[in-house]
Amino acid sequence: MAPKIFLTGGTGYIGGSVLHTIVTSHPKYEVTALLRKEPEAFASTYPNVKVIKGDYDSSDIISEEASKADVVVHNGDSDHEPSLKAIIAGLLKRQTSSFLLHLSGTGIVSDWDTPTYLGKLNPKIWSDTTDLAEISSLPDHALHRNTEKILNDTIAQHSDQINIAIMCPPDIYGKGKGLAKTWSAFIPMFVQECKNLEVAGFYYGEGTNTRSWVHIDDLMTVYLKVVEAAAAGGGGFDWGKEGYYFAGTQEVSHIDIARATDAILKKHNFVEGSELAQVSLDQIDTMAAYVPRFPNLGRYLFASNSRTRPHRAEKLWGYKGTAPRLLDVLEEEVLDAVKRVQG
């Protein structure tokens, strides 16, 4: 019998890519997608995907669909508690055990909240195998901590009924595979702030703060492996307390991104002259203010460190990134972001 998959966030950058990857890799899976608005080409592109109309606040619908699914892949708003609670409630109604893949993110281990390493390289590198105790005890203000606490409580109480995998990608680049949003967040936001400052690149402090990155194609490899394992009943993969999956394939410092962006924008005559701008923390704190539910988002994006290693995926199947690296394709990313900013 084909496994039943229920997926949320199917029009987002990650969720749309996950949906496309699952459907094209396993056309016999019975996939149901929760969509607030169905893209025009959705039915013709994915004729066998069942669409349920609703959004993250449609708790009754989400719970009902989760109760029918062998595997739930929850994408989109990583911090939305009602939708996660509805999924868990639905899965607990099942007579047999099930699997839940929840999208979190390495923002949870970012050092944005303390000044020690803002604009500097933090030597701490987080592992998804040896640092789980520390990750599970992070302070409540850590990004995505609210939903990870819900998942940890569920694991403690219901690990016999729900097998949970926390999917924790770093910053992502590359064109998404879905039908709606196909771009990520960091590079467009950086280009937008460059425009606001009328510079071609900027940094805070030394600019050596460093983040892990993954191409969307490599991230989909991780997702597909974990979904396939879930569909096969677990497949020897790690779940529950051990079910934490980083996905980074490389590290890049902020100053390297700023320098490369500066060169690209000057090459294409989007800006003239001037050196990279060293900005103040007060300036950083005004950035990305159009996302009010994430105060200090500027610090997180442009001044913090978030360094992670995908040791679990490396252990399970020898995971290694095969897609082009960020700096090799940054020109394409920046030019696409410029179009969005100008548009």
Side-chain angles (χ1 to χ4, degrees):
M1 178 180 288
K4 294 179 173 61
I5 314 290
F6 175 50
L7 183 141
T8 68
T11 56
Y13 175 59
I14 296 176
S17 298
V18 172
L19 174 64
H20 181 83
T21 299
I22 292 173
V23 172
T24 56
S25 300
H26 293 283
K28 293 185 179 180
Y29 284 5
E30 295 183 18
V31 178
T32 298
L34 178 78
L35 299 178
R36 180 178 60 83
K37 182 179 180 181
E38 185 174 333
E40 184 176 342
F42 193 91
S44 58
T45 306
Y46 308 119
N48 295 323
V49 173
K50 180 182 178 182
V51 173
I52 299 296
K53 292 295 181 68
D55 58 25
Y56 294 119
D57 291 318
S58 303
S59 294
D60 290 344
I61 294 172
I62 291 172
S63 183
E64 174 66 19
E65 292 305 319
S67 72
K68 303 173 186 175
D70 302 305
V71 182
V72 175
V73 187
H74 188 35
N75 305 290
D77 188 344
S78 301
D79 302 317
H80 193 270
E81 296 182 24
S83 59
L84 178 58
K85 290 178 178 178
I87 288 170
I88 292 168
L91 292 177
L92 289 175
K93 295 176 184 177
R94 291 172 49 85
Q95 298 300 310
T96 57
S97 64
S98 57
F99 292 82
L100 167 60
L101 282 69
H102 173 83
L103 173 62
S104 186
T106 60
I108 194 169
V109 297
S110 165
D111 57 6
W112 64 271
D113 61 324
T114 56
T116 307
Y117 290 107
L118 291 180
K120 300 177 183 178
L121 178 66
N122 189 333
K124 172 66 174 180
I125 300 175
W126 296 82
S127 168
D128 58 4
T129 58
T130 59
D131 289 324
L132 291 184
E134 190 173 357
I135 292 170
S136 66
S137 60
L138 287 166
D140 286 354
H141 64 259
L143 296 177
H144 315 314
R145 175 69 175 144
N146 63 319
T147 45
E148 287 203 11
K149 285 175 67 177
I150 293 171
L151 292 164
N152 289 334
D153 288 344
T154 303
I155 290 167
Q157 298 176 45
H158 304 292
S159 60
D160 58 330
Q161 294 172 270
I162 307 176
N163 300 280
I164 292 174
I166 298 177
M167 311 300 288
C168 203
D171 289 284
I172 313 170
Y173 63 101
K175 185 176 181 180
K177 302 175 182 298
L179 297 177
K181 186 180 180 185
T182 58
W183 60 93
S184 190
F186 185 99
I187 298 302
M189 285 182 157
F190 184 61
V191 170
Q192 177 67 64
E193 297 302 336
C194 287
K195 180 183 179 183
N196 294 345
L197 291 170
E198 298 183 341
V199 300
F202 64 87
Y203 64 98
Y204 170 70
E206 299 171 5
T208 50
N209 47 293
T210 295
R211 308 163 74 84
S212 295
W213 286 83
V214 66
H215 192 285
I216 189 70
D217 289 355
D218 289 327
L219 178 60
M220 289 306 102
T221 297
V222 178
Y223 258 94
L224 185 60
K225 289 284 188 181
V226 180
V227 168
E228 288 174 338
F237 275 42
D238 296 327
W239 310 94
K241 291 182 178 180
E242 300 298 318
Y244 210 89
Y245 291 83
F246 286 149
T249 60
Q250 65 210 268
E251 287 189 337
V252 188
S253 70
H254 183 88
I255 194 70
D256 284 344
I257 293 175
R259 286 171 177 155
T261 301
D262 175 87
I264 294 164
L265 293 176
K266 288 175 179 174
K267 172 185 174 182
H268 292 275
N269 299 314
F270 291 119
V271 295
E272 295 182 1
S274 79
E275 297 299 318
L276 287 176
Q278 185 182 45
V279 298
S280 69
L281 196 57
D282 286 342
Q283 287 175 294
I284 288 286
D285 285 343
T286 67
M287 295 177 180
Y290 47 87
V291 188
R293 63 195 181 99
F294 289 133
N296 297 122
L297 183 57
R299 291 191 185 201
Y300 166 66
L301 289 170
F302 308 128
S304 76
N305 296 267
S306 181
R307 307 177 65 193
T308 58
R309 295 290 186 273
H311 290 148
R312 190 168 309 283
E314 291 173 355
K315 176 194 73 172
L316 287 171
W317 71 87
Y319 173 59
K320 183 178 180 181
T322 60
R325 299 176 77 80
L326 174 64
L327 293 180
D328 292 335
V329 296
L330 187 63
E331 184 168 9
E332 179 182 346
E333 297 280 317
V334 168
L335 295 181
D336 184 65
V338 167
K339 292 177 184 177
R340 300 187 186 284
V341 169
Q342 290 179 334

